[in-house]
Amino acid sequence: MRALVLGGGGIAGVAWEVGILHGLGETVLDVDMIVGTSAGSIVAAALGHISPAEAYRLQTTPAPPSANNAAGPVPDIDKLMELFGKAYSLPPDEAVRMVADVSLAAETMPEEAFVNVIGRNLPSPEWPDSNISVVAYDTGSGERTVFTRDSGVALGLAVAASCSVPGVFPPITIDGKRYMDGGIRMSNNADLVADHDEILIIAPIVELAPPPNAKVITPDEGAMKAMGANVLDPASRIPSAEAGLRQGQSIKLH
């Protein structure tokens, strides 16, 4: 069995992943399962409906100012990194509880507005036929939740939940529970496919202890420069996609 894992990494991460996949070629999507976390959930959902080439075209098409501002002002990445750094230093249950408290208490845009922002970034509101898993965390129980097309949850809601960066975007209500970013404990959640024979991880943020049989692609020096200091800045989108394409074209998987 083969699996593709797409990790979190903000706006820059979405664009870079799309560039990498376009550079690698469509055969890389011929897998039994795709796991998408945060930014990776957007890419996974999109590529279930359109080709990497079309996704790349969309990523490298300049957006009007109104679109760039749709999610509000560019967040303070230093505060966000401080929060995640503290979370990764704590025991898992304590870390998730702390981040959930931040997520629930933050003043952000309304849920509906954020779901609409995510929806505009998806080529279809329907789950694709491919086997896609979207990861989020329940702010109440602290449990990791994996949404699939069999979960009975709208794709846009599942992806918005996975992308709900704590303190930046609102937790998303699904069946009476509120969910936040799927990268709280692991930016890629590659352990979900540890039993697969071949695993390709495309990781804007390096994952600790990936499965031993995994091939991991992380941003090279050019991509890191293109992604910049704030991966949530819309200005990083086009440079990150272009850098991802260059890097993807240079990689030989076999």
Side-chain angles (χ1 to χ4, degrees):
M1 295 189 296
R2 302 176 63 209
L4 173 63
V5 178
L6 302 171
I11 292 171
V14 171
W16 174 77
E17 289 180 9
V18 167
I20 287 285
L21 290 166
H22 183 31
L24 292 175
E26 288 196 40
T27 57
V28 76
L29 298 177
D30 183 18
V31 295
D32 300 287
M33 183 175 180
I34 301 176
V35 175
T37 299
S38 199
S41 71
I42 294 178
V43 179
L47 293 180
H49 292 286
I50 60 177
S51 68
E54 175 61 11
Y56 180 79
R57 185 192 68 78
L58 293 172
Q59 286 296 320
T60 52
T61 300
S66 59
N68 286 333
N69 296 329
V74 177
D76 184 338
I77 200 70
D78 292 334
K79 289 184 179 179
L80 187 61
M81 290 300 99
E82 181 181 349
L83 174 64
F84 274 84
K86 185 176 181 181
Y88 286 172
S89 70
L90 295 173
D93 290 346
E94 186 178 342
V96 174
R97 181 70 267 153
M98 180 199 72
V99 176
D101 287 345
V102 171
S103 181
L104 291 167
E107 293 185 7
T108 64
M109 68 169 64
E111 283 186 55
E112 183 179 2
F114 183 56
V115 171
N116 288 338
V117 168
I118 294 297
R120 289 196 294 270
N121 283 276
L122 300 178
S124 172
E126 304 298 327
W127 285 89
D129 292 333
S130 49
N131 186 10
I132 290 175
S133 295
V134 173
V135 185
Y137 272 85
D138 184 334
T139 61
S141 68
E143 294 180 352
R144 182 172 67 174
T145 302
V146 180
F147 295 107
T148 70
R149 64 173 178 263
D150 296 324
S151 299
V153 173
L155 178 64
L157 283 178
V159 172
S162 187
C163 292
S164 176
V165 179
V168 178
F169 301 125
I172 301 302
T173 304
I174 299 174
D175 295 333
K177 299 178 181 180
R178 302 194 75 193
Y179 292 88
M180 63 182 177
D181 196 296
I184 298 303
R185 289 303 303 164
M186 294 178 285
S187 63
N188 304 314
N189 292 290
D191 62 306
L192 292 171
V193 293
D195 60 340
H196 284 59
D197 302 309
E198 296 181 40
I199 304 169
L200 175 61
I201 302 174
I202 300 179
I205 300 172
V206 178
E207 180 89 346
L208 299 177
N213 58 329
K215 163 71 174 178
V216 184
I217 299 174
T218 57
D220 61 13
E221 184 177 353
M224 289 293 292
K225 183 177 180 180
M227 294 169 79
N230 191 340
V231 296
L232 294 176
D233 186 347
S236 67
R237 179 170 57 87
I238 294 177
S240 298
E242 293 173 342
L245 177 61
R246 288 192 295 270
Q247 183 180 352
Q249 290 172 330
S250 71
I251 295 172
K252 304 298 180 186
L253 292 178
H254 302 290

